[in-house]
Amino acid sequence: MRSRKFLKAEQARLVWDAPGLLAGVDEAGRGPLAGPVVAAAVILDDTRPIRGLADSKTLTALQRERLHDQILAKALCCSIAQASVEEIDTHNILQATMIAMRRAVEGLRLKPAKVLVDGNRLPTLDVLAEAVVKGDALVKAISAASILAKVHRDRLCEQLHTEFPHYGFAGHKGYGTPEHLEALQKHGACVHHRRSFSPVAAALTRTAAGALVIETEAAMPMVITTTETVHLDLRTAP
């Protein structure tokens, strides 16, 4: 009779150690107040290792850019996808993130046997998948995906900055920094802001209230009062 330990080992091999290609998946942009959420999927080539892969948040912008180019050049295949601001506001940020991750996996040129996803949630996929908490620091393929997603989204924010420079997207990348919140209060929200996020909703409410006051004042008739001075010549009666 097989031991319980042997049965567990056999089950682990059959379920988790699927032979074939392994893809890492991560996202960038869940927290910002503006712009899409971006996800990337990467299948690395074991014969062409990339040194320095790590969680994108621990790297400098220059390191991320350098590694970004190496990943594109050396990985077996990569895919970058996103969920739009409209999808975020319609489905909520968590579901939009899952949508972006699913699109990234489906966009891979090669079909992986297994997908490792950073975090504790999994998108709906047609392949074996596993969620790995802090996977961007533990699994090289997820680290590579985190770098691609981060660099891609940062570049998108730089494009948004050229369109709406007064919000400072190039600096804060859409996050709710004091400067961004001040710009929201001063200028209101633009088309790239996420309406379902409370600071943006508050800015829209203020803008709508201000427009209502201006419209009401414009609709009120202007009353002009004219004062006429009458001079009386008071004389003693004859």
Side-chain angles (χ1 to χ4, degrees):
M1 180 178 179
R2 295 179 178 178
S3 67
R4 183 171 299 180
K5 180 179 179 181
F6 180 84
L7 288 174
K8 287 184 178 179
E10 183 179 42
Q11 183 184 36
R13 183 174 67 254
L14 290 173
V15 175
W16 297 115
D17 297 338
L21 299 175
L22 177 70
V25 177
D26 201 2
E27 54 76 27
R30 284 184 64 173
L33 307 179
V37 59
V38 176
V42 178
I43 300 178
L44 293 175
D45 186 347
D46 293 337
T47 67
R48 305 182 71 190
I50 302 172
R51 297 185 60 183
L53 290 175
D55 175 7
S56 63
K57 296 185 292 295
T58 67
L59 302 171
T60 65
L62 185 60
Q63 289 173 324
R64 287 194 296 267
E65 290 283 349
R66 178 179 58 81
L67 288 167
H68 171 275
D69 294 343
Q70 289 191 49
I71 294 164
L72 293 181
K74 293 184 176 182
L76 286 177
C77 60
C78 307
S79 173
I80 301 174
Q82 64 187 46
S84 67
V85 170
E86 292 77 15
E87 289 173 314
I88 293 170
D89 289 337
T90 300
H91 301 289
N92 75 46
I93 184 59
L94 174 60
Q95 295 306 316
T97 300
M98 296 298 106
I99 291 171
M101 286 182 168
R102 174 176 54 79
R103 288 171 177 165
V105 174
E106 291 175 348
L108 288 169
R109 178 176 56 84
L110 302 173
K111 189 177 181 67
K114 184 178 180 181
V115 175
L116 298 180
V117 180
D118 182 57
N120 58 3
R121 301 292 186 95
L122 289 173
T124 301
L125 300 171
D126 63 353
V127 296
L128 184 65
E130 179 183 355
V132 183
V133 176
K134 297 186 178 180
D136 48 7
L138 300 173
V139 181
K140 290 187 181 300
I142 298 179
S143 299
S146 75
I147 292 167
L148 290 191
K150 172 66 174 169
V151 171
H152 184 82
R153 193 178 188 283
D154 284 355
R155 291 177 178 178
L156 286 178
C157 287
E158 290 169 3
Q159 294 175 14
L160 295 186
H161 183 83
T162 62
E163 187 179 357
F164 296 95
H166 45 278
Y167 290 106
F169 287 126
H172 53 64
K173 304 300 188 293
Y175 284 90
T177 63
E179 293 79 11
H180 192 186
L181 295 176
E182 183 180 353
L184 267 175
Q185 185 171 4
K186 183 177 180 181
H187 303 289
C190 73
V191 295
H192 300 292
H193 280 101
R194 301 172 180 178
R195 265 65 177 163
S196 56
F197 281 42
S198 56
V200 180
L204 290 170
T205 300
R206 285 193 300 270
T207 302
L212 179 61
V213 171
I214 294 173
E215 182 179 351
T216 302
E217 290 179 346
M220 291 178 63
M222 182 176 293
V223 179
I224 300 176
T225 303
T226 303
T227 303
E228 181 179 355
T229 303
V230 179
H231 295 278
L232 299 178
D233 185 8
L234 299 179
R235 299 181 182 179
T236 305

